[in-house]
Amino acid sequence: MQVTSSVREPLVTGGKTVHDVTEDICRQVEGKPTKSWMLGMAISLATLGIGAYAVFMLLWEGIGVWGLNKTVGWAWDITNFVWWVGIGHAGTLISAILLLFRQKWRMSINRAAEAMTIFAVICAACFPGLHMGRLWVGFYWALPLPNTWGSLWVNFNSPLLWDVFAISTYFTVSLVFWYIGLIPDFASIRDRAKNKVSKAVYGALSFGWDGAAKTWMRYESVALILAGLATPLVLSVHTIVSFDFATSVIPGWHTTIFPPYFVAGAIFSGFAMVLTLMLVTRKLFKLEDYITINHIELMNIVIIITGSIVGIAYITEFFIAWYSGVDAEQYAFMNRAFGPYAWAYWSMMTCNVISPQLFWVKKIRTSIAATFILSIIVNIGMWFERFVIIVTSLHRDYLPSSWAMFYPTFYDVGVYLFTFGLFFTAFLLFAKFFPVINMAEVKSIIKSSSLKRNN
Amino acid sequence: MENNKHFVLGVYDDEDVLLTAIKAVRESGVKIHEVYSPFPVHGIDEALGYKRTRLPIAAFLFGLLGTTLALTMQVWMLGFDWPMIIGGKDFVSLPPFIPVTFELTVLLSALGMVGTFMIVSDLKPYKQPRIFDVRITDDKHVMAIDLSANNLAKDDIKKIVSSSGAGEVNDKDFED
């Protein structure tokens, strides 16, 4: 028997029974798409279309169509890559780390957050691929394939190669974790299906799940071990992403603080994206009883914590640059804050350091409108963080004669739009055809955490 | 009576009633075929007398395989098959090999364990499961008792199941 403290807020409100959970979640899957969903889909597909044109031109003409130059060889592409990977981190944090800590409030948000992870990692992976210019040779440039394919073995000393392994492992493990969780819910939809097609499709997707106690026992064991594996994995992924910069000798990048600072930043931006998505999903799908103000508040608290870690990291970085006494390092940081990209630096500081502090006020962190606006501001700030780190460290090269500025072209913006289109199209498809809340997990806490059953 | 075709089903609404019912039914000497639930019920494995799953061991062994493969691959490729001078570093140096080794350990451990889980639990896309009651994936817990595995008469079993707190007691017969 599960006992939950009576002072704790119920995780599911509205006096839901186990059967209500099935009804509420399956209704979205079984019903016709709503007008707002169609509208969202149309906008996403239009964005995807514009983006696809930019991607096609990029592949056709080569990466010269981007605004990169001899000095600034990395700009929006890597900024967007790191930004998307970072967003993905919240999904794994919610589903794996909170599972290990037995935080039950994760249960109504983990499914959608994990879906977000998977789509965000796909979007992230587009950028290193496209940056190679020739996407189709990427496989044998990046994978250790035999020499007869045209290259020597890959360089295992390079953090860029570590990225290949980290991102692909992260994607695969997240996908498997997500799918294992979906199987019992697909079985619920299969058993309710009225027409042949959905019975066959969800039957295949459910892998013949029958809910046997023995399978549940194994399932729980698998979920726990996957969580145990995914936890160090997610920390390793952004650590390795930060190595792309930290192992170099570029002033502004060559910093040992990068791994923890990047991981905190990733969770920070990821939670902001989860909030942006969940606030909309909650409203459109009428899930207010499952994703309560309590959930929103808890996520906002994670944002305060990680946002403050990021803020401290910015200040520490600046302090260490001064304290190191290295001229180049000091110059890089002074140039960041007061040079030609000062506007980007101060946008980053405002969005990431100051704005999340507003959540200390209970009224703000329990307000849906304020949370929605701040969640978007945080992600704008996190995009600027990567832009600041990448571009300001590069644009003042070692020789003043090679100093340059970076100006994005239509194709820089277009490829970014492409990933937005891809992300939202995938998320909307997920929200329509897959159960957006993990029914089986939520059902298991109904008895201890629902209002009606407690009284 | 043929094997595995005729069942008595006890349908329960509440997981705590179910747990005491499992104990009561087993104590009265009835063998339970399996219990089906919409969500994982804690303590059900002990109540049914199931041994702990050995899947964690599988995960560990697959992880070990990943570590070994990753280290062997990197040392052989860069150390022996085609040594290259990269920034004057040693051909075989352990620290830069750790990230890839870690990732492959996690990858093989996760995939190996999930693969083993799929195989031992017989989960596959083209499987047609035996559905004892469609409400299992909604809100009911169902205890299935195989008549061919028990010596007691059907009516006696039904009485035992009914008195254990089952909301309904049903018959279920399969053709195949």
Side-chain angles (χ1 to χ4, degrees), chain A residues 6 34 38 108 122 161 176 230 249 280 321 330 355 357 411:
Chain A
S6 55
T34 56
M38 297 287 249
S108 44
I122 294 173
L161 185 75
V176 166
V249 290
V280 176
Q330 288 174 344
S355 78
Q357 302 305 325
Y411 299 98

Side-chain angles (χ1 to χ4, degrees), chain B residues 11-48:
Chain B
V11 181
Y12 299 85
D13 292 320
D14 187 289
E15 60 265 37
D16 296 316
V17 175
L18 173 76
L19 283 178
T20 41
I22 292 172
K23 243 182 234 160
V25 170
R26 289 185 79 207
E27 268 165 17
S28 56
V30 176
K31 274 196 198 121
I32 297 174
H33 172 67
E34 181 58 293
V35 177
Y36 299 87
S37 302
F39 54 82
V41 178
H42 287 278
I44 202 170
D45 39 345
E46 287 115 59
L48 285 165

Side-chain angles (χ1 to χ4, degrees), chain B:
Chain B
M1 204 181 287
E2 297 142 284
N3 273 345
N4 272 330
K5 285 199 177 165
H6 306 283
F7 292 88
V8 167
L9 306 180
V11 181
Y12 299 85
D13 292 320
D14 187 289
E15 60 265 37
D16 296 316
V17 175
L18 173 76
L19 283 178
T20 41
I22 292 172
K23 243 182 234 160
V25 170
R26 289 185 79 207
E27 268 165 17
S28 56
V30 176
K31 274 196 198 121
I32 297 174
H33 172 67
E34 181 58 293
V35 177
Y36 299 87
S37 302
F39 54 82
V41 178
H42 287 278
I44 202 170
D45 39 345
E46 287 115 59
L48 285 165
Y50 288 155
K51 272 193 219 139
R52 276 183 69 161
T53 165
R54 285 166 297 169
L55 281 168
I57 302 171
F60 178 74
L61 292 178
F62 278 108
L64 208 60
L65 180 71
T67 314
T68 320
L69 279 180
L71 276 178
T72 319
M73 173 180 79
Q74 295 175 84
V75 169
W76 176 74
M77 283 177 181
L78 289 196
F80 297 92
D81 186 55
W82 200 307
M84 277 184 289
I85 299 171
I86 296 155
K89 291 171 195 144
D90 290 343
F91 294 136
V92 176
S93 116
L94 210 51
F97 292 170
I98 296 302
V100 171
T101 308
F102 172 76
E103 301 301 331
L104 287 180
T105 304
V106 169
L107 184 67
L108 262 76
S109 176
L111 290 184
M113 173 183 59
V114 170
T116 315
F117 167 62
M118 295 287 181
I119 292 166
V120 294
S121 305
D122 194 28
L123 294 172
K124 53 200 174 199
Y126 51 89
K127 187 185 166 193
Q128 297 294 333
R130 269 189 168 176
I131 295 169
F132 285 89
D133 192 316
V134 286
R135 294 169 301 170
I136 290 168
T137 53
D138 181 6
D139 63 344
K140 299 282 191 246
H141 303 269
V142 170
M143 180 196 286
I145 293 160
D146 185 358
L147 290 177
S148 61
N150 285 289
N151 297 323
L152 288 160
K154 193 174 183 176
D155 289 339
D156 294 335
I157 294 178
K158 279 188 161 177
K159 241 176 243 160
I160 294 168
V161 173
S162 169
S163 63
S164 74
E168 296 168 29
V169 182
N170 301 328
D171 291 312
K172 181 82 186 178
D173 301 309
F174 289 99
E175 296 291 316
D176 46 354

Side-chain angles (χ1 to χ4, degrees), chain A residues 171-249:
Chain A
F171 175 73
T172 315
V173 173
S174 304
L175 187 67
V176 166
F177 199 3
W178 184 61
Y179 198 85
I180 291 285
L182 275 164
I183 288 176
D185 286 358
F186 281 143
S188 294
I189 301 174
R190 170 199 68 200
D191 290 346
R192 288 165 56 92
K194 300 258 174 353
N195 68 60
K196 258 192 179 153
V197 179
S198 53
K199 209 170 192 83
V201 171
Y202 288 107
L205 287 173
S206 68
F207 277 43
W209 179 268
D210 58 4
K214 195 161 224 160
T215 318
W216 271 123
M217 177 184 78
R218 292 182 181 133
Y219 168 96
E220 288 232 286
S221 170
V222 165
L224 188 66
I225 303 230
L226 277 180
L229 287 170
T231 301
L233 177 64
V234 69
L235 301 180
S236 86
V237 171
H238 232 59
T239 299
I240 290 174
V241 168
S242 81
F243 283 169
D244 291 349
F245 307 103
T247 59
S248 75
V249 290

Side-chain angles (χ1 to χ4, degrees), chain A residues 5-116:
Chain A
S5 159
S6 55
V7 288
R8 221 167 246 185
E9 307 254 331
L11 293 172
V12 180
T13 55
K16 299 287 180 188
T17 62
V18 174
H19 179 67
D20 292 337
V21 176
T22 321
E23 286 291 333
D24 290 346
I25 313 302
C26 289
R27 198 185 307 132
Q28 308 305 330
V29 180
E30 289 158 356
K32 282 223 166 67
T34 56
K35 275 212 178 99
S36 41
W37 186 87
M38 297 287 249
L39 183 70
M41 201 64 185
I43 297 170
S44 304
L45 285 173
T47 315
L48 188 68
I50 299 170
Y53 168 74
V55 169
F56 175 77
M57 289 308 285
L58 181 86
L59 290 172
W60 188 259
E61 301 281 350
I63 57 167
V65 297
W66 274 343
L68 302 176
N69 53 51
K70 185 165 67 60
T71 307
V72 186
W74 274 7
W76 275 44
D77 44 4
I78 306 299
T79 302
N80 298 340
F81 162 73
V82 181
W83 189 75
W84 277 119
V85 179
I87 283 175
H89 278 46
T92 320
L93 184 105
I94 291 169
S95 59
I97 301 183
L98 296 185
L99 185 145
L100 294 183
F101 285 138
R102 307 218 175 270
Q103 291 294 315
K104 290 191 173 142
W105 60 273
R106 76 173 196 285
M107 287 176 175
S108 44
I109 50 172
N110 59 3
R111 170 73 43 77
E114 281 174 57
M116 178 197 78

